[in-house]
Amino acid sequence: MDVDYSMFARIRDGDPEAFRELHAAHASLVYRHAVRMTGDWSLAEDVVQLTFLEAWRLRGKLRDEGDGPRPWLMGIAVNVLRNTTRAGRRHRAAMDRMPAQETVPDFADELVGRIADAEQLAAARRALGRLRRGEREVFTLCVWSGMSYAEVAATLDVAVGTVRSRLSRARTRLRGLAEEELRTPGTEPGPASGQVRGDRVPAARSMEEENR
């Protein structure tokens, strides 16, 4: 793949147009990954915004290597999701204690892949939550986000062989865990407003802002 490293230099220099191009090309990837990891479209929108704000803050660390900026950007998204998950743990626990909403989230087909049934989606997310973090991240990046082994290895800063082994373990464990979760239905919190949104990616807030 021919890579235009001049864009990397423009990003490092803080060129607003380069960041608009970066956002236009990759925001939907970040959003889909965040939705699948969190099951919450509102939180996924926040992850997109925080990811691009962090990308702006860390733009000087983008190197002229690889097949493009995607692994670098998704590495930032993965860290944002880790921090968001830790910060929101008590909130989600409180939501889990609430009665299940009757309104079923209407996720776009590309967000759920072959999981067409809401009960299966909830079971899949619960099963994913029972995997080790490394296995969960590799599975969602490779299978649901369609990234190559090399891209995922660069994203997570691990060897390609580690990606392959984690993905193999994740697939093996998920078969049994998903079946177990379907036999023991749980509750899956929906959007706080009870409303449904499609696969919409919000415009990133001003790149000049910093979240720290």
Side-chain angles (χ1 to χ4, degrees):
M1 176 186 292
D2 293 331
V3 179
D4 180 11
Y5 286 120
S6 65
M7 182 180 180
F8 287 47
R10 291 166 58 208
I11 290 173
R12 286 194 297 268
D13 291 341
D15 181 353
E17 182 59 33
F19 261 79
R20 280 192 286 270
E21 292 175 13
L22 183 71
H23 182 273
H26 302 297
S28 61
L29 174 68
V30 176
Y31 180 73
R32 289 194 300 268
H33 180 66
V35 167
R36 283 164 169 161
M37 290 295 287
T38 67
D40 185 330
W41 54 260
S42 181
L43 181 56
E45 291 177 350
D46 290 341
V47 169
V48 172
Q49 293 171 346
L50 289 171
T51 295
F52 280 90
L53 289 173
E54 274 293 275
W56 172 266
R57 192 178 70 84
L58 300 174
R59 62 190 182 276
K61 296 185 178 181
L62 178 61
R63 297 289 177 258
D64 293 342
E65 57 189 22
D67 294 331
R70 194 160 74 159
W72 172 74
L73 185 65
M74 289 301 291
I76 294 173
V78 166
N79 285 330
V80 168
L81 277 163
R82 288 172 181 172
N83 293 334
T84 301
T85 298
R86 285 193 290 265
R89 191 166 293 149
R90 283 183 295 180
H91 172 71
R92 287 194 303 278
M95 292 294 291
D96 286 341
R97 291 193 291 270
M98 296 177 64
Q101 298 187 16
E102 295 183 3
T103 302
V104 177
D106 183 20
F107 293 102
D109 289 342
E110 59 268 26
L111 296 185
V112 297
R114 296 185 179 183
I115 304 174
D117 183 82
E119 182 180 353
Q120 289 177 315
L121 174 59
R125 286 201 62 253
R126 292 195 301 272
L128 274 173
R130 294 171 63 183
L131 294 179
R132 296 182 180 89
R133 187 180 71 182
E135 295 171 352
R136 181 168 61 250
E137 290 173 348
V138 164
F139 180 86
T140 54
L141 289 169
C142 284
V143 177
W144 277 353
S145 295
M147 297 179 70
S148 69
Y149 291 152
E151 286 180 316
V152 175
T155 295
L156 301 178
D157 193 23
V158 297
V160 171
T162 300
V163 172
R164 291 179 183 274
S165 61
R166 287 181 183 177
L167 180 59
S168 177
R169 288 197 303 269
R171 281 177 163 151
T172 299
R173 293 190 65 204
L174 274 175
R175 292 189 189 99
L177 290 174
E179 292 176 1
E180 181 180 329
E181 290 292 346
L182 281 170
R183 290 195 299 269
T184 311
T187 59
E188 189 74 12
S193 64
Q195 296 179 345
V196 173
R197 293 192 183 184
D199 183 6
R200 180 177 66 83
V201 179
R205 293 179 185 141
S206 170
M207 296 298 179
E208 287 75 12
E209 297 179 35
E210 293 186 358
N211 67 319
R212 291 186 181 178

